[in-house]
Amino acid sequence: MKKTVVSVGLAVDESLRVVKNVIMPDNVTGKEKRICIVTGTHGDELEGQYVCYELNRIIREQKQHLKGIVEIYPALNPLGVDSISRGIPMFDLDMNRIFPGDENGAVAEYVASRIIRDIAGADLCIDIHASNIFLREIPQARVNVNTARELVPIARRLNLDFVWVHSAATVLESTLAHSLNSIGVPTVVVEMGVGMRITESFCHQLTHGIFCVMKDMGIWQGETITPKEPIISQDGMVGFVNANAPGIFVPSVEHWMNVAEGEVIGHILNPLDGTVQEEVVAPVHGMLFTLREYPVVSCGSLIARVLRGDFV
């Protein structure tokens, strides 16, 4: 059943309309658990769109196994998705920096507040992101250290490869996940793939994991896989690689592989005079879980992240 979460009139007889699909079991008792799957906060992140499709398809085909309430929000930022814009077009805002919003605020703040109000009371929320157009990420959950005790056990069941427990940061206070966790809705952030693309294998992997979590919650009684055991890490285990020179980055290694400390992972090239501006090396021994996808870099641009340790 499709429901409008919020609708705001815009110019030229158009509207900003956030819609969700609410899937109920055939026999409702009033005691059902409720899970919310949200994505499309950033309009250039499309991996979650395919996950929403798969969830809807599988539940529709096996509706007899549904024992709880599943609410699917495929596009929290529909204008961004329609225009391939990361933020909210016209307002020049990153939607994931204005939560929990304001009922009496400007359009974007009002929309954010209505989204929070709509999700409030859910037993769990999975907030799906892709990376941006610049970086490629392995399937991972990102959990704030302040909520790790509650959320890491859930993240471990999502069939992901990596759970990154990161330190508190001021900017997180304006995200959807922080706002929902603050009002008692456990919310796990998932990030995978690359902006403006769909990586089907990653999407299927997460979809299987969501059904595992739904089964744990008593929402789903169908068959599920045994989820893979993810690597759990904290900030101190992650080494960052940033560009020291501008140019074109060309990797010499594959994403999601082990690298040795000091190993060359790519070069920054100067196309104007045909010289190598920088030989980029791994800062630590470990797994390359983030790698630059978009070649053009400036000084300081993130090139890679390496998880310290030995991994297969």
Side-chain angles (χ1 to χ4, degrees), residues 266-286:
H267 298 84
I268 297 176
L269 312 177
N270 185 335
L272 180 63
D273 60 15
T275 59
V276 176
Q277 296 287 84
E278 181 184 355
E279 186 176 72
V280 182
V281 300
V284 296
H285 170 77

Side-chain angles (χ1 to χ4, degrees), residues 36-226:
C36 296
I37 311 299
V38 304
T39 191
T41 308
H42 293 129
D44 62 349
E45 298 180 0
L46 305 177
E47 305 279 9
Q49 300 284 310
Y50 192 83
V51 174
C52 289
Y53 162 78
E54 280 292 281
L55 290 171
N56 274 301
R57 180 187 65 81
I58 293 170
I59 294 173
R60 183 178 65 251
E61 294 175 355
Q62 304 180 45
K63 184 73 179 299
Q64 71 274 17
H65 297 307
L66 184 67
K67 303 301 176 184
I69 301 170
V70 180
E71 298 189 355
I72 299 174
Y73 302 69
L76 294 190
N77 175 11
L79 298 182
V81 173
D82 287 347
S83 61
I84 323 176
S85 302
R86 185 167 183 80
I88 305 175
M90 300 182 294
F91 302 99
D92 195 28
L93 288 171
D94 183 334
M95 190 174 193
N96 213 27
R97 298 295 181 268
I98 58 174
F99 288 102
D102 183 351
E103 285 271 352
N104 300 309
V107 170
E109 294 173 308
Y110 172 72
V111 170
S113 71
R114 297 294 294 230
I115 290 170
I116 292 290
R117 190 171 80 170
D118 196 75
I119 298 174
D123 296 285
L124 179 65
C125 180
I126 308 295
D127 181 15
I128 305 173
H129 292 259
S131 185
N132 53 36
I133 64 170
F134 301 103
L135 303 167
R136 178 173 291 275
E137 301 279 3
I138 68 172
Q140 61 194 265
R142 295 187 179 179
V143 175
N144 187 275
V145 66
N146 296 328
T147 55
R149 183 185 297 272
E150 180 179 16
L151 297 184
V152 167
I154 299 169
R156 294 179 79 137
R157 298 286 293 166
L158 280 171
N159 196 39
L160 301 171
D161 296 277
F162 179 37
V163 176
W164 185 0
V165 181
H166 57 80
S167 301
T170 302
V171 71
L172 293 174
E173 296 178 1
S174 57
T175 64
L176 174 65
H178 182 275
S179 298
L180 289 174
N181 280 307
S182 297
I183 62 171
V185 179
T187 302
V188 177
V189 175
V190 175
E191 185 155 341
M192 61 186 183
V194 65
M196 296 189 184
R197 298 291 183 272
I198 288 176
T199 311
E200 288 189 53
S201 60
F202 289 175
C203 296
H204 288 301
Q205 181 178 338
L206 174 59
T207 300
H208 289 312
I210 292 174
F211 277 104
C212 290
V213 170
M214 286 166 54
K215 192 163 189 175
D216 294 343
M217 297 172 68
I219 292 175
W220 184 253
Q221 291 187 348
E223 291 187 6
T224 56
I225 65 165
T226 299

Side-chain angles (χ1 to χ4, degrees), residues 15-33:
S15 65
L16 190 167
R17 185 165 169 257
V18 177
V19 180
K20 67 178 178 179
N21 190 24
V22 181
I23 313 174
M24 307 280 287
D26 292 331
N27 299 307
V28 178
T29 67
K31 298 180 180 179
E32 285 80 12
K33 292 287 185 72

